Amino acid sequence: MPTIAVHTLGCKVNQYDSEAMLESFEKAGYESVPFDQDADVYLVNTCTVTGTGDQKSLKLIRRLNREHPDAGIIVAGCLAQRDAEKVALPGVKLIVGVQRRSEVVALYQEAVRRGALIDAIAPLKDAPFETLFVSRHEGKTRATMKIQEGCDRYCAYCVIPYVRGPVRSMPLEALRAEARRLAESGYREIVLTGIHLASYGRGMDETLLDAIRAVQETPGVMRIRLGSLEPKVVTEEFARELSGFDKLCPQFHLSLQSGSDGVLKRMHRRYTADEYRQAADTLRAYFENPAITTDVIAGFPGETDEEHAETEAFLRKIGFARIHVFPYSRRSGTVADRLPGQVPEEVKKNRANKLIEIGNQLEIAYVQSLKGAEKEVLFETASPDGGAEGYTREYVRVRADARPGEIRRVRIGETQGTLAVGTILSEERR
């Protein structure tokens, strides 16, 4: 039986796409093996959000060819879409980008038959939504469902609109069918994700609320979690509608990037810091102590010490439950690459470290805010110390005397950094 190994760089959308391609190979008779083992085929799903992502992808492809010269290499994802010539390295048989992934097996086998590289990069203008299916997800409890693709925001620092193409969405009937299939497979929680999730349904007379409602109405689904949202989508009406979905987890990832209005304007973000604060306040008005998480970029071109200090203060003001911090990475072809005032690498690194420290402090404080509270926990993995670990609806990690796959009511007791320890209060919820 031929073997395949897959490695994914980048976001959860990429992880979803990788799993879908892997399943296509398995259905065609290939056996999946760990990436550090010998395989007949290696699939690298690339990321190009940062220069580091590019370097990691290219380094990995070269290493694979050096260590496994007889294996075939497939390169997929955003870097492949952006610069197919760059990834057309020795050993690469197929370049597939961010479309035609459902054809990956047939394309690879055709490349082998020809004995030549196939560049299957497809143009993204007017591209349809490519429906991919994944039947296996992390921990057998939580399933990710990609319902949206593409972005048209064109933020000054971002290459994603150029490599993921225009906004397109999974048709609502296909979404309902996929939710039913996942529920029937035993998944308790479904995570709705996309490149720009708030754009779901554009051009289809439907909205993200319609998508959430479709999953809410699916028997067997017990939790719904949302991917990243843009602050401007969080209106009073939107939050009120969300609060009516009893399966929706009160964890909201609102992308920030900077707490300084000057930086936000140069980034071409479409909100101010105060509008972001209003969005957070609106969610807190409709949900009790929700977890609000975010992304922040340190050292955007022209960022002064004063603007960085504004971001530090803003993070503390909002009181985030978790923060992902990224030093600004120059991307050729973007507006930000041409801006004056590029911040030195050492300064970006120092500013990022300061923001990471604040994020750690805020995450610990949020976990501590749950002490004494009763929370529903979906247990996912066995704990090395006995019992199991899982996540509250707010996505706080909890350890208790339970078994993986159970949903139990838990009283939060002590906290150990970002881990909470709980006492079981109820029988498993089914």
Side-chain angles (χ1 to χ4, degrees):
M1 179 181 290
T3 54
I4 181 168
V6 177
H7 184 80
T8 306
L9 296 100
C11 64
K12 287 186 176 180
V13 173
N14 252 19
Q15 293 167 13
Y16 182 93
D17 295 341
S18 291
E19 192 62 45
M21 289 187 283
L22 175 59
E23 287 200 22
S24 294
F25 272 97
E26 290 176 336
K27 289 175 182 176
Y30 288 72
E31 179 186 0
S32 173
V33 298
F35 199 77
D36 58 358
Q37 293 185 13
D38 289 338
D40 297 303
V41 184
Y42 291 92
L43 192 157
V44 179
N45 200 359
T46 62
C47 175
T48 193
V49 169
T50 66
T52 301
D54 285 4
Q55 293 163 15
K56 286 181 178 178
S57 297
L58 296 171
K59 183 179 179 180
L60 179 58
I61 295 165
R62 293 189 182 100
R63 179 172 66 80
L64 287 173
N65 183 62
R66 184 174 64 252
E67 296 179 357
H68 307 278
D70 296 328
I73 301 172
I74 301 170
V75 184
C78 292
L79 177 58
Q81 186 73 37
R82 185 180 185 213
D83 198 339
E85 288 187 10
K86 184 179 285 188
V87 301
L89 298 168
V92 174
K93 304 293 187 194
L94 173 65
I95 301 171
V96 76
V98 300
Q99 286 288 113
R100 304 190 70 183
R101 291 156 300 189
S102 60
E103 305 171 55
V104 65
V105 176
L107 288 167
Y108 176 73
Q109 292 174 342
E110 176 64 14
V112 171
R113 188 185 66 78
R114 291 187 195 176
L117 167 68
I118 290 182
D119 180 344
I121 299 299
L124 296 177
K125 184 180 180 181
D126 300 322
F129 181 83
E130 183 179 32
T131 300
L132 303 172
F133 295 103
V134 177
S135 60
R136 195 178 47 222
H137 298 265
E138 56 177 305
K140 299 288 187 182
T141 54
R142 179 187 305 116
T144 298
M145 185 160 64
K146 187 179 80 171
I147 65 170
Q148 186 275 335
E149 178 69 275
C151 181
D152 62 359
R153 300 287 93 178
Y154 290 97
C155 297
Y157 52 84
C158 189
V159 298
I160 291 302
Y162 306 98
V163 298
R164 284 282 181 172
V167 170
R168 49 217 193 267
S169 304
M170 176 185 280
L172 201 57
E173 283 309 307
L175 189 155
R176 288 193 180 100
E178 177 71 348
R180 285 195 301 269
R181 188 180 65 82
L182 291 170
E184 289 166 359
S185 297
Y187 293 100
R188 307 292 191 90
E189 179 177 306
I190 292 180
V191 184
L192 300 181
T193 190
I195 296 298
H196 189 259
L197 189 60
S199 296
Y200 175 84
R202 188 183 302 166
M204 296 166 47
D205 296 323
E206 286 149 359
T207 68
L208 179 58
L209 288 171
D210 295 318
I212 299 170
R213 186 173 295 107
V215 182
Q216 165 79 21
E217 294 170 352
T218 303
V221 175
M222 295 187 175
R223 288 183 173 185
I224 304 167
R225 199 177 296 277
L226 301 180
S228 181
L229 295 175
E230 190 173 280
K232 293 280 273 191
V233 77
V234 184
T235 62
E236 191 85 18
E237 179 184 1
F238 182 80
R240 186 185 307 114
E241 290 277 352
L242 287 184
S243 68
F245 298 129
D246 64 346
K247 296 179 182 180
L248 185 72
C249 293
Q251 181 231 333
F252 303 101
H253 191 87
L254 297 183
S255 184
L256 173 63
Q257 309 308 354
S258 176
S260 164
D261 282 343
V263 176
L264 288 172
K265 186 174 182 179
R266 293 198 298 278
M267 287 179 166
H268 296 177
R269 302 295 284 178
R270 304 185 185 196
Y271 52 84
T272 64
D274 191 61
E275 287 172 332
Y276 187 103
R277 178 196 58 77
Q278 291 175 33
D281 288 348
T282 299
L283 289 170
R284 285 171 170 150
Y286 284 92
F287 296 88
E288 181 182 356
N289 195 19
I292 298 177
T293 63
T294 200
D295 302 310
V296 183
I297 294 174
F300 187 76
E303 184 184 65
T304 64
D305 289 341
E306 292 74 19
E307 288 172 330
H308 171 74
E310 287 180 311
T311 295
E312 287 192 359
F314 190 77
L315 298 182
R316 290 193 171 97
K317 181 178 181 180
I318 297 297
F320 290 101
R322 188 177 298 108
I323 302 170
H324 300 291
V325 179
F326 305 91
Y328 167 70
S329 180
R330 293 184 76 164
R331 303 276 72 202
S332 63
T334 62
V335 171
D337 185 50
R338 303 188 295 272
L339 289 178
Q342 298 289 331
V343 178
E345 291 299 320
E346 191 62 27
V347 174
K348 286 193 286 188
K349 181 179 177 182
N350 289 337
R351 289 179 182 174
N353 287 338
K354 290 179 181 178
L355 298 181
I356 290 170
E357 183 179 351
I358 292 170
N360 290 338
Q361 293 169 358
L362 292 175
E363 184 173 0
I364 290 170
Y366 182 77
V367 174
Q368 289 176 339
S369 76
L370 301 184
K371 287 179 71 171
E374 294 184 13
K375 294 293 177 180
E376 178 190 270
V377 179
L378 172 54
F379 290 95
E380 300 181 10
T381 59
S383 171
D385 301 328
E389 292 184 5
Y391 290 87
T392 68
R393 291 162 67 92
E394 295 82 3
Y395 208 67
V396 168
R397 188 163 59 100
V398 176
R399 180 185 299 154
D401 186 15
R403 291 182 302 223
E406 294 182 337
I407 294 182
R408 305 288 291 273
R409 196 79 181 164
V410 172
R411 178 176 289 114
I412 305 298
E414 64 174 304
T415 61
Q416 301 170 3
T418 59
L419 172 69
V421 179
T423 303
I424 300 294
L425 299 176
S426 69
E427 295 298 317
E428 180 186 3
R429 184 164 81 87
R430 297 181 180 274

